[in-house]
Amino acid sequence: AEGIVKRHTEAGWHKGVMTMLTYPAHIVKDDDTYLVSFPDLENVFTYGSSIEEALSNAEEALNGCLESDFERNFAIPDPSLGDSPEVYQIAVAPNISVAIMLRKLRADRSQIEIARKLHISYQVYQRLENPRGGNGGRWHFCYFINRKMGDIAAKLGFSDIIPS
């Protein structure tokens, strides 16, 4: 259990930008069940018969919800900080995390404009911003991009929003 809990509570930072997107999950024990809710995503709930199962189900529910909302162009809320003992930070899958952060950085600019700034083809950028079909099989690449998000933000002209 300790390894799973540790995995869900660690998050790194690179140049002031979170390298792994995480969302807080509130987990409470009710009889023999652990109930999970997400304060930032009011319609996402799950449960487990153990804390390990609840955390695993929370990760699956979170990623499924974020992927679905992202693909339907729903607004993805920024994660809040949770610091009570019942709150666990649940990691977003790298392919989904990269897609969400790239779209937020892109804002109202076109994918073509961003691809040119990054010196990559439009098709490559499209795959990066696609959490399912385009980059889902390239976890190692998405993890690398995720860790370089601060550099990408600076290259796109967002150095003024990145704390030094």
Side-chain angles (χ1 to χ4, degrees):
E2 184 177 319
I4 293 173
V5 172
K6 186 174 184 182
R7 185 181 83 206
H8 288 282
T9 58
E10 291 180 344
W13 290 83
H14 175 70
K15 295 185 179 179
V17 176
M18 189 177 282
T19 59
M20 179 57 75
L21 194 58
T22 63
Y23 279 83
H26 188 257
I27 302 179
V28 294
K29 187 171 183 179
D30 183 29
D31 294 325
D32 292 335
T33 305
Y34 292 84
L35 305 173
V36 183
S37 62
F38 290 87
D40 302 319
L41 303 162
E42 54 191 51
N43 294 322
V44 182
F45 301 94
T46 190
Y47 66 95
S49 58
S50 67
I51 189 69
E52 294 86 1
E53 184 181 29
L55 288 166
S56 178
N57 291 346
E59 193 170 325
E60 185 178 336
L62 173 67
N63 285 299
C65 172
L66 290 176
E67 182 178 35
S68 175
D69 286 356
F70 182 88
E71 289 177 342
R72 294 184 291 164
N73 289 319
F74 291 173
I76 305 291
D78 290 330
S80 61
L81 297 175
D83 58 359
S84 75
E86 300 88 22
V87 173
Y88 297 83
Q89 293 297 320
I90 306 299
V92 177
N95 56 314
I96 298 169
S97 182
V98 166
I100 289 170
M101 289 190 283
L102 282 175
R103 186 175 289 171
K104 283 185 184 251
L105 286 173
R106 182 168 60 88
D108 60 349
R109 295 189 272 180
S110 72
Q111 289 181 335
I112 292 173
E113 180 183 350
I114 300 304
R116 285 184 184 138
K117 280 189 165 244
L118 294 174
H119 304 290
I120 60 175
S121 73
Y122 169 63
Q123 292 82 3
V124 168
Y125 184 83
Q126 276 187 312
R127 285 193 300 263
L128 288 174
E129 205 175 287
N130 178 350
R132 185 181 301 211
N135 69 29
R138 297 190 202 118
W139 285 85
H140 61 282
F141 181 69
C142 289
Y143 182 74
F144 170 78
I145 292 293
N146 213 0
R147 298 202 43 90
K148 296 290 184 182
M149 198 56 70
D151 296 334
I152 291 170
K155 192 168 204 163
L156 295 177
F158 290 104
S159 56
D160 57 322
I161 65 169
I162 301 171
S164 49

